């Protein structure tokens, strides 16, 4: 196994940039053609409004200024840089956030393709890139986690390449972690990758080098934790990023944090079966650190659907090198002719040209946000009535914030806490009328704004002292009589 491993390492990066460029361009064009699909989460509204707040005040938020139910309470944004980018992009209308998101996803898939092409044919690499895109597509939204996607891929490639070199990660990789920590709270996942990939490096290293290598990986891990704190919030960044995981029951009610559903056959199940079938049919195995990492990623994807993107992008890269060795692809990679590849500067020029063309096309791109989350006419009716304190549905919070209306609740579940969010969910669903009473009376609510499908709408129709003011297909408004 030693000789093929050397061949693989020596030819890493020797392939042409053409296939990654084609994949990235294809992803970019696809997302721009179907850009409306990126605008289906009302959280995008408050994310952009937070970025505007940062621009207006020249600092990051430390207390809540968007709600009346939690006004002035401590809150910090774990995605302040991404929100700033979205706010700047929004100057071009919704085309701006769509373009920024599309470029980020395209970059992530291009890097994914470039890594896999080291160990697989162009056809297999393209097929895996397509499969990864299909898996992550339901989670591709104009939100900060997409801007962090290429950063995650770059971080992982840096770690796994170091492990395969039987060396510690380069210190320059800490800059990637610092960027990730400012873009999105998912950087905690990046820290978790250091352990298993460090073990993989030790497994491959000669016994006499393992102690010194372990110390270097440990030093890198400590430095990575420190790099996470290179944000306006300092050490508070770590605490803020872990708050979302303490929401308990809330995580099972929010769509992106729900468990994977296998009641109907879907792409995630198909990918799991394909992974298992190929491994069993070909007798393929993984070194134990990589196996543990794959099992961990599968577990994450089963528990929370939003983790499917980690599974889709990282599992193929984890298996690529070991499986290429076992399938005898090492020598074929070694026989590649790098001198036939276009010069690297041509790839840089092509990337710049694509980005410039995309930005130039922005004025001609017109997208609309998902209408069921935009209660524009309902809000106009509330404002005409003079109501100030609106008991709004969870999905309407982002839009109301964008209209500078103080909200009762919005997508910042970590601010409101498990008890408040669950009371809201049960009350809206009509399962807890007592919770609805508490929230209406305890917060001096003078109007409610709920989707027509909410069971609480019927309760409000029958509630003494309240009357229906407005209704359409998006929202129903009740006010005090």
């Amino acid at each position: 196994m030693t000789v093929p491993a050397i061949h693989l390492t020596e030819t890493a990066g020797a392939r042409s940039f053409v296939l990654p460029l084609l994949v990235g361009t294809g992803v970019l064009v696809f997302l721009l053609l179907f850009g409306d699909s990126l605008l289906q989460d009302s959280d995008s509204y408050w994310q952009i409004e937070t970025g505007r707040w940062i621009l207006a005040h020249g600092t990051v938020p430390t207390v809540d200024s968007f709600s009346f139910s939690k006004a002035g309470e401590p809150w910090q944004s774990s995605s302040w840089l991404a929100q700033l980018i979205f706010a700047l992009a929004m100057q071009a209308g919704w085309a701006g956030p769509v373009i920024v998101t599309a470029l980020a996803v395209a970059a992530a898939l291009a890097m994914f393709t470039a890594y896999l092409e080291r160990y697989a044919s162009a056809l297999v690499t393209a097929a895996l890139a397509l499969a990864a895109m299909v898996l992550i597509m339901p989670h591709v939204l104009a939100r900060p986690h997409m801007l962090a996607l290429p950063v995650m891929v770059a971080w992982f490639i840096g770690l796994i390449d170091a492990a395969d070199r039987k060396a510690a990660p380069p210190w320059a990789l800490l800059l990637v972690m610092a960027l990730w920590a400012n873009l999105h709270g998912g950087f905690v996942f990046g820290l978790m990758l250091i352990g298993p990939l460090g073990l993989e490096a030790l497994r491959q290293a000669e016994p006499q080098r393992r102690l010194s290598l372990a110390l270097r990986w440990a030093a890198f891990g400590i430095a990575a934790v420190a790099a996470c704190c290179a944000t306006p919030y300092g050490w508070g960044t770590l605490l803020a990023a872990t708050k979302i995981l303490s929401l308990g029951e809330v995580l099972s009610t929010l769509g992106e944090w729900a468990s994977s559903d296998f009641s109907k056959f879907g792409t995630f199940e198909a990918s799991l079966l394909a992974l298992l079938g190929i491994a069993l049919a070909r007798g393929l195995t993984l070194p134990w650190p990589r196996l543990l990492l794959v099992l961990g990623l599968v577990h994450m994807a089963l528990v929370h659907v939003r983790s499917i993107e980690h599974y889709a992008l990282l599992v193929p890269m984890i298996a690529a090198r070991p499986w290429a060795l076992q399938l005898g692809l090492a020598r074929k990679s070694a026989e590649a002719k790098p001198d036939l590849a276009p010069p690297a500067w041509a790839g840089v020029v092509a990337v710049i040209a694509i980005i410039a063309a995309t930005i130039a096309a922005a004025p001609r791109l017109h997208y609309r946000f998902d209408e069921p989350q935009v209660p524009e006419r309902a809000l106009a009716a509330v404002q005409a009535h003079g109501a100030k304190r609106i008991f709004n549905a969870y999905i309407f919070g982002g839009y109301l914030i964008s209209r500078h209306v103080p909200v009762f609740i919005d997508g910042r579940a970590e601010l409101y806490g498990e008890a408040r969010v669950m009371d809201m969910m049960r009350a809206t669903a009509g399962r807890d009328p007592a919770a609805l009473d508490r929230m209406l009376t305890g917060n001096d609510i003078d109007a409610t704004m709920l989707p027509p499908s909410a069971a609480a709408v019927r309760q409000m129709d029958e509630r003494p002292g309240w009357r229906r003011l407005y209704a359409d297909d998006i929202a129903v408004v009740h006010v005090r009589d």
Side-chain angles (χ1 to χ4, degrees), residues 53-85:
W53 188 97
I54 294 171
L55 285 173
H57 294 81
T59 186
V60 293
T62 55
V63 297
D64 171 47
S65 59
F66 295 146
S67 78
F68 63 82
S69 58
K70 290 287 186 178
E73 295 199 15
W75 177 72
Q76 61 187 51
S77 172
S78 58
S79 305
W80 74 272
L81 182 56
Q83 291 158 348
L84 187 63
I85 293 171

Side-chain angles (χ1 to χ4, degrees), residues 351-422:
V351 169
I352 294 174
I354 291 170
I355 295 175
T358 304
I359 295 174
R364 300 176 181 84
L365 300 174
H366 303 284
Y367 303 110
R368 294 184 62 185
F369 209 90
D370 188 36
E371 286 192 2
Q373 301 186 61
V374 185
E376 184 177 359
R377 293 185 296 274
L379 176 59
V382 171
Q383 292 176 328
H385 181 76
K388 300 297 183 183
R389 298 170 73 87
I390 306 172
F391 178 80
N392 61 280
Y394 194 84
I395 62 170
F396 296 153
Y399 175 75
L400 295 182
I401 288 174
S402 74
R403 305 298 294 173
H404 305 112
V405 176
V407 298
F408 176 77
I409 198 169
D410 60 85
R412 297 170 297 163
E414 73 281 6
L415 168 65
Y416 299 99
E418 179 182 5
R420 168 66 62 86
V421 176
M422 291 312 303

